[in-house]
Amino acid sequence: MRISRVQINNFRNFRALDLKLGDSVVLVGENKIGKSNFLCAIQLVLDPSLPDVARQLREEDFWDGLPRPLKRADTIRVSVDLTDFEENAAQLAVLAEHLVQPVPMVSRLTYEFRPKATLEGDPEKSADYEFFCYGGGREDNTFGYDTRKRLPVMVLPALRDAVRDLANWRHSPLRPLLEEAASTIERSTLKKIADDIQTANSTLTDTKELEGVENQINDQLESMVGDQHALETNLAFAPADPERLIRAVRLFMDGGRRGVNDASLGSANLLYLTLKALELQQEVKQGTRDHTFLAIEEPEAHLHPHLQRLVYREFLSRRRHLDPEDDADDADDADDADDADDADDADDADDADLFSNTTVIFTTHSPHVVSVAPLRSLALLKRETPGREATYGVSTVGLDLTDTEVEDLERYLDVSRGEILFASGVLLVEGEAESYLVPALADQLGHDFDRAGIAICSVAGTHFRSYVKLVGPEGLKIPFAVVTDNDPPAKATSKPTPGQTRCLDLLSIIAPELDTKKRATRLAALESHGLFLNDSTLELDLLAESDENGVVLSEVLLDLLKPGKTLKQEMEGWIADPSKIDGAALLKRIKRVGKGRFAQRLASRAADLTCPSYLQKAIEHVTQ
């Protein structure tokens, strides 16, 4: 099962959010964009631990854009669509009566907060409102705690105190694991262990030194409050009561030398998440719930970047790799398997229970978490324009991408650490030469890419299609520009150049309504849609822009090559008279050094360069 769609109307910073979601969810967005409010909205529908008093909202929970005073027609509504449950009998039993679509099955659970039906006129105070929850879009089809406890959402807040929760018996995810284990231990065995502990306690505390401490405490208590109110205390390292014995069990690290309280915040969070995963797995096996929606705010808290990637790759990637047909085949084969195979199958089943019956929802600021996320799990919250007064959402679920394109983009996000999703704008370029040089040139034009939130994305070639689909108007709607080489043929021709063909193909994705227009019209529209071509290649366009550029190119090349006498004389001639520079020879020398290395060194001389007009236009486009 999974949440396929969330609709939020008039709740806090959401005017009319309609967001489609995948198997797992990685929700990103700038600060104060509403990521926590998004989880709060889902809790209103699905959280069984949320008391009714918390579901009775207040006027300040209404979207700020609604005119005050509020009118009778102003309501808060949150709808959660659930799908992929028809093969699970338990989930089907819970959700069948809430269907809004039969094939494939989709059920909808809705929370609504609105003026009371008996109210005459517009609401004036909190008591004029009521909430109710209903399924299937039918207000007479109400649901409550019994439904939520079978399909609960659990939210781990960003400011969680993992150390405190692990130490607190009531809140520790270790508790259900220990209680389950204790239930299988014979009573007589526990009694013998308790007796042995009592003996060990006595051996330790009967020493003269500790006995003195114990008497000192009791004497002080008696002195303070008298015999009638004094407490009877004794020192021990564990309770001797068999019923309380399990509660004294604690996790230790480093061979038992350190407790969790002594652990770093990162280690405590890692332990907490591990135990929480085991707790969820156990509850599914025990049949206390049919599915869990585990929401973790800022899962990166206190974790080293490599740990972030390792831990959350496990959470995010394992579920999509589970093949239901394979699971069915494994179940058939298990009938005839030997004991060893049965054990292996049981281990596999445990993994399947955890990952097939848990939907993971992350809200994050970490590009390291995004980098290991399946592409279809990504969702981005953005502010509406103009006015930027409300939040809307976009996701990658419905992107028209082939499996190969998805794999390419996931590899790119992995290598780039997902920076593209956090950008205010994206400049797509062919290679590392532009990656080094363009930000330096932009800085000379007064555009600091870091301050503007602009990300440079090198596609390491000319395959821009999948990237444009990802960030473009049908994808994440991130402002972007594409800079690519014209690559003109050696001989003049009436046919479009490779660069023009490439850009026309991208234009058909960005503005398909122009497909019927003449080629000249479409070529004229490229720059207005963020597609920028040079005359040849980056280095040759720099050379053609000004003689001063030619001098800088030659000086950098001379420094990197350290050529022999003849070649040195030729390049010194270029520096003395840049009109003599041979473009083909220049490119040949640059390739000998390496275009990336050359651009990296050239970037240090950006202040001496004149930016080519096509790059200047692209920079202006993406920063605006």
Side-chain angles (χ1 to χ4, degrees), residues 286-573:
Q286 290 175 337
T288 57
R289 63 181 61 181
D290 301 314
H291 195 88
T292 301
F293 300 97
L294 176 61
I296 306 177
E297 292 192 86
E298 298 183 19
E300 64 270 19
H302 310 300
L303 292 184
H304 184 279
H306 289 90
L307 274 179
Q308 292 179 36
R309 291 163 57 75
L310 287 170
V311 171
Y312 300 117
R313 181 182 285 117
E314 180 80 0
F315 274 92
L316 292 167
S317 299
R318 285 287 298 278
R319 174 173 168 164
R320 68 171 179 166
H321 293 152
L322 294 173
D323 188 335
E325 295 183 2
D326 290 345
D327 291 343
D329 293 339
D330 290 343
D332 293 337
D333 295 341
D335 294 336
D336 301 321
D338 57 26
D339 291 342
D341 288 340
D342 286 343
D344 291 340
D345 290 343
D347 291 339
D348 293 341
D350 287 344
D351 290 341
D353 282 342
L354 172 60
F355 292 100
S356 64
N357 291 290
T358 301
T359 294
V360 178
I361 304 172
F362 290 157
T363 67
T364 183
H365 295 117
S366 171
H368 301 286
V369 174
V370 169
S371 72
V372 297
L375 185 75
R376 302 282 186 190
S377 72
L378 299 174
L380 179 60
L381 295 184
K382 302 167 71 71
R383 295 196 188 278
E384 290 184 356
T385 53
R388 299 171 63 83
E389 71 280 2
T391 296
Y392 73 99
V394 289
S395 76
T396 53
V397 171
L399 286 184
D400 181 21
L401 295 170
T402 66
D403 290 343
T404 300
E405 288 176 323
V406 168
E407 291 170 2
D408 285 346
L409 287 170
E410 287 182 343
R411 278 191 292 269
Y412 172 78
L413 291 176
D414 200 349
V415 172
S416 69
R417 302 295 184 261
E419 182 182 349
I420 192 172
L421 261 75
F422 299 90
S424 299
V426 177
L427 189 57
L428 298 166
V429 298
E430 289 190 9
E432 58 181 347
E434 290 88 350
S435 297
Y436 287 125
L437 197 54
V438 173
L441 292 172
D443 193 55
Q444 300 308 312
L445 295 171
H447 298 289
D448 186 323
F449 274 10
D450 283 336
R451 287 182 180 275
I454 305 299
I456 290 281
C457 171
S458 167
V459 305
T462 58
H463 52 292
F464 292 100
R465 277 186 66 90
S466 56
Y467 295 87
V468 169
K469 288 180 181 179
L470 175 63
V471 302
E474 298 302 317
L476 298 178
K477 297 180 171 62
I478 302 174
F480 73 95
V482 174
V483 172
T484 186
D485 291 341
N486 198 23
D487 296 326
K491 295 182 179 180
T493 175
S494 59
K495 295 181 179 179
T497 66
Q500 289 174 333
T501 301
R502 194 179 305 131
C503 286
L504 289 174
D505 178 54
L506 297 177
L507 185 66
S508 69
I509 299 172
I510 302 166
E513 68 277 7
L514 297 178
D515 284 352
T516 58
K517 303 294 183 181
K518 294 181 178 180
R519 184 199 301 166
T521 302
R522 286 181 287 142
L523 287 173
L526 293 181
E527 291 188 355
S528 63
H529 289 85
L531 304 174
F532 297 90
L533 276 167
N534 57 23
D535 291 329
S536 182
T537 61
L538 171 63
E539 296 81 6
L540 294 183
D541 276 71
L542 278 168
L543 177 63
E545 190 67 27
S546 71
D547 286 346
E548 290 78 7
N549 282 2
V551 172
V552 176
L553 291 168
S554 301
E555 289 176 344
V556 170
L557 192 54
L558 180 61
D559 182 53
L560 288 172
L561 275 176
K562 295 183 172 33
K565 182 177 180 180
T566 303
L567 186 54
K568 182 179 179 181
Q569 288 177 344
E570 179 189 36
M571 297 181 68
E572 287 176 343

